[in-house]
Amino acid sequence: MRELHVDQVAEAIANLVMEANYVLEPDVMAALEKARADEPSPVGQAVLQQLVENAELACSERVPMCQDTGNALVFLEVGQDLHLVGGDLSEAVNRGVSRGYVEGYLRKSILDDPIRRKNTGDNTPAFIYTDIVPGDRLRIRVVTKGGGAENMGQLRMLPPSAGWEGARRFIVEAVAAAGPNACPPLLVGVGVGGNFDKVALLAKKALLRPVGQPHPDPEWAAREQDLLTEINKLGVGPMGLGGKVTAFAVHIETMPCHITSLPVAVNIECHAHRHKEVVL
Amino acid sequence: MARHYITTPISPEQAKAIRSGDEVYITGTIYTARDAAHKRMVEDLAAGRPLPFDPRGAVIYYVGPTPPKPGQVLGSAGPTTSYRMDKYTPTMLQQGVKAVIGKGYRGPEVKAALVANGAVYLAATGGAGALLAKRIEEAEVIAYEDLGPEAIRRLRVKDFPAVCINDAHGGDQYRDGQSEWVAPDAMVKPK
């Protein structure tokens, strides 16, 4: 059985959270550039120009592109033939997040308690999502997700009679309600199916797909395209100042569900979609 | 769409001259405050204590910056979402604050308070934290240091760029800008 020391995990995560905040991945940069080319509104174009410049500046000066350096979302795919040694995996992840946020001059935005609201000082605990998969590798994907966009998420347990039309309207209304608050142009993560908790996770995991890569099922890929078209009719535009590019892409993830249910969740991501991954 | 170069403090006449959609470039002193700082300022006022800065003609910027790297004045410093301050903003405007800077929609109570107090709501570009930090020349924590990124800072800015969203006359640039671009067959219309 292959062994991996958790110190390597901590080390990797410290680097991933810093790099994610300084350097926009090529898929997101390409989406920004495409938005700038597609946007007919002059004010929208000016905003997109600023965002491209901001991303370039963050990269060259190694500073965070946005002051909200996020919830540290850590998605772990743990090979079932991998033996993690040297300590507790979650503790190692948090050690990595702590080091990355402190040494990387990233903002610490996590509170110890939702009502008492004392800052933990190192952005821990991380939000850790673990899946056990075949193989002997550890795939680590980090998303540093801002709170402003996260707050605009919505979840609805629709009756089955609502059908796709009901789901579709709910999704577009959620994006319209977010308007300028979530820093458009957006990446819209959608979960359909599962149950109350799984649908939210699906919507979040939808953000992990490279921006604009369609769903493998052509029927769902067509629904993604249709939703993107509808969302870009809203007129919200870059930063809500009016325009045609409100979203870069809509990603849908689906699951089986109960005969009584049609769960739908929308998890909104801002234009600064910061993600990085590594396989150990 | 006019362009205004404003030096703080903002006079009542200057605030009233700024219309929704106008570009505004601010030079001088502005104060950072977000959720936790606003809560405390409103509690201070209720207890009869003065605000940590002179509110007359003042500008509040809703920002929680990243810590500065060695050699930097301040880290990245883009606007945070403003609606979370809606509960406190009318009180700040009554104290004489003439402009607040953030991003995103404001509630009806804030829009009414802007009109009643002759003040403006400005938006800076969300997420452009690295770029906006270049317009900040000095930064100093002046109150509530224990709040960390949410502490109140006095910033000296030069030509800090923003767009007026809500003016002192009921103008609303989000509504107008979106109405101009909404498709005729859109299933949801701008609010």
Side-chain angles (χ1 to χ4, degrees):
Chain A
M1 185 171 274
R2 182 169 171 263
E3 288 194 346
L4 179 67
H5 200 285
V6 294
D7 283 355
Q8 274 182 265
V9 177
E11 174 77 20
I13 287 183
N15 289 329
L16 291 172
V17 295
M18 285 189 272
E19 288 302 310
N21 273 294
Y22 304 153
V23 185
L24 216 46
E25 285 286 275
D27 64 326
V28 188
M29 203 65 196
L32 262 184
E33 301 273 12
K34 182 174 187 305
R36 187 172 56 168
D38 291 349
E39 178 56 66
S41 139
V43 63
Q45 271 179 18
V47 166
L48 290 161
Q49 176 62 31
Q50 278 184 47
L51 298 181
V52 169
E53 281 173 29
N54 184 67
E56 288 168 353
L57 185 65
C59 178
S60 65
E61 297 198 357
R62 291 186 61 79
V63 295
M65 65 193 77
C66 176
Q67 76 291 335
D68 187 347
T69 54
N71 299 286
L73 312 181
V74 179
F75 296 87
L76 302 174
E77 287 176 21
V78 186
Q80 63 189 21
D81 299 325
L82 178 67
H83 184 201
L84 291 153
V85 297
D88 179 81
L89 176 63
S90 298
E91 190 273 330
V93 168
N94 281 314
R95 190 150 31 94
V97 166
S98 173
R99 227 196 82 199
Y101 275 76
V102 172
E103 291 178 13
Y105 296 93
L106 307 180
R107 195 181 83 191
K108 291 78 180 173
S109 309
I110 301 299
L111 307 174
D112 65 338
D113 179 283
I115 300 300
R116 292 192 293 265
R117 306 192 77 78
K118 184 175 170 294
N119 200 301
T120 62
D122 65 357
N123 222 56
T124 65
F127 296 83
I128 304 174
Y129 308 86
T130 309
D131 287 313
I132 306 295
V133 299
D136 63 359
R137 303 280 150 176
L138 174 67
R139 184 184 193 192
I140 307 171
R141 292 193 278 186
V142 166
V143 178
T144 60
K145 191 168 189 303
E150 183 73 355
N151 280 348
M152 295 295 113
Q154 292 198 41
L155 193 155
R156 188 77 54 86
M157 301 301 286
L158 292 170
S161 63
W164 176 242
E165 266 317 297
R168 182 173 175 259
R169 173 166 274 276
F170 165 63
I171 295 159
V172 175
E173 284 175 350
V175 176
N181 296 13
C183 288
L186 311 168
L187 173 60
V188 182
V190 176
V192 184
N195 57 10
F196 187 80
D197 50 302
K198 289 285 187 191
V199 75
L201 188 57
L202 283 176
K204 182 146 281 169
K205 283 192 168 174
L207 305 177
L208 295 175
R209 208 190 298 161
V211 175
Q213 180 183 296
H215 193 286
D217 175 336
E219 200 178 314
W220 283 104
R223 290 189 181 118
E224 288 175 338
Q225 264 312 310
D226 164 63
L227 275 172
L228 182 62
T229 302
E230 282 304 319
I231 285 166
N232 285 338
K233 284 180 185 174
L234 292 170
V236 171
M239 291 314 299
L241 293 168
K244 293 202 169 173
V245 187
T246 301
F248 297 138
V250 178
H251 294 175
I252 306 176
E253 293 292 333
T254 65
M255 266 184 97
C257 72
H258 193 273
I259 47 173
T260 59
S261 294
L262 176 49
V264 183
V266 180
N267 191 229
I268 292 177
E269 174 69 313
C270 64
H271 60 75
H273 173 42
R274 291 151 289 176
H275 67 97
K276 277 276 172 193
E277 76 168 272
V278 71
V279 178
L280 298 178
Chain B
M1 308 276 175
R3 183 176 286 189
H4 306 261
Y5 290 87
I6 299 251
T7 304
T8 61
I10 300 179
S11 71
E13 296 72 34
Q14 281 175 320
K16 284 195 179 139
I18 300 169
R19 296 296 186 132
S20 60
D22 289 356
E23 289 177 52
V24 181
Y25 293 86
I26 299 169
T27 295
T29 299
I30 67 175
Y31 299 94
T32 74
R34 35 178 294 154
D35 310 51
H38 271 80
K39 181 165 184 286
R40 247 190 237 183
M41 284 195 287
V42 169
E43 284 166 1
D44 277 350
L45 285 171
R49 290 187 291 269
L51 292 178
F53 55 86
D54 184 349
R56 291 169 298 175
V59 179
I60 296 179
Y61 182 24
Y62 303 147
V63 59
T66 60
K69 283 168 68 170
Q72 275 187 317
V73 168
L74 198 64
S76 295
T80 198
T81 323
S82 306
Y83 74 91
R84 300 192 315 268
M85 268 53 75
D86 281 4
K87 185 176 168 187
Y88 311 111
T89 299
T91 307
M92 292 297 134
L93 300 179
Q94 282 156 21
Q95 295 295 311
V97 169
K98 284 287 172 233
V100 293
I101 311 172
K103 65 169 168 93
Y105 292 126
R106 303 312 300 261
E109 69 281 20
V110 172
K111 293 178 192 175
L114 291 169
V115 174
N117 294 284
V120 291
Y121 168 52
L122 311 175
T125 300
L131 205 57
L132 289 167
K134 294 280 179 197
R135 307 297 179 96
I136 300 169
E137 297 181 331
E138 276 175 29
E140 183 193 1
V141 173
I142 60 161
Y144 314 150
E145 192 160 11
D146 61 299
L147 296 179
E150 297 206 61
I152 295 187
R153 288 169 172 80
R154 183 195 294 123
L155 306 182
R156 190 160 60 82
V157 296
K158 177 115 173 56
D159 292 331
F160 188 91
V163 176
C164 179
I165 303 297
N166 296 109
D167 62 26
H169 312 278
D172 185 337
Q173 186 56 29
Y174 286 142
R175 182 192 61 208
D176 296 348
Q178 294 179 22
S179 299
E180 191 183 332
W181 290 97
V182 65
D185 62 339
M187 65 166 78
V188 183
K189 303 291 183 192
K191 63 176 179 181

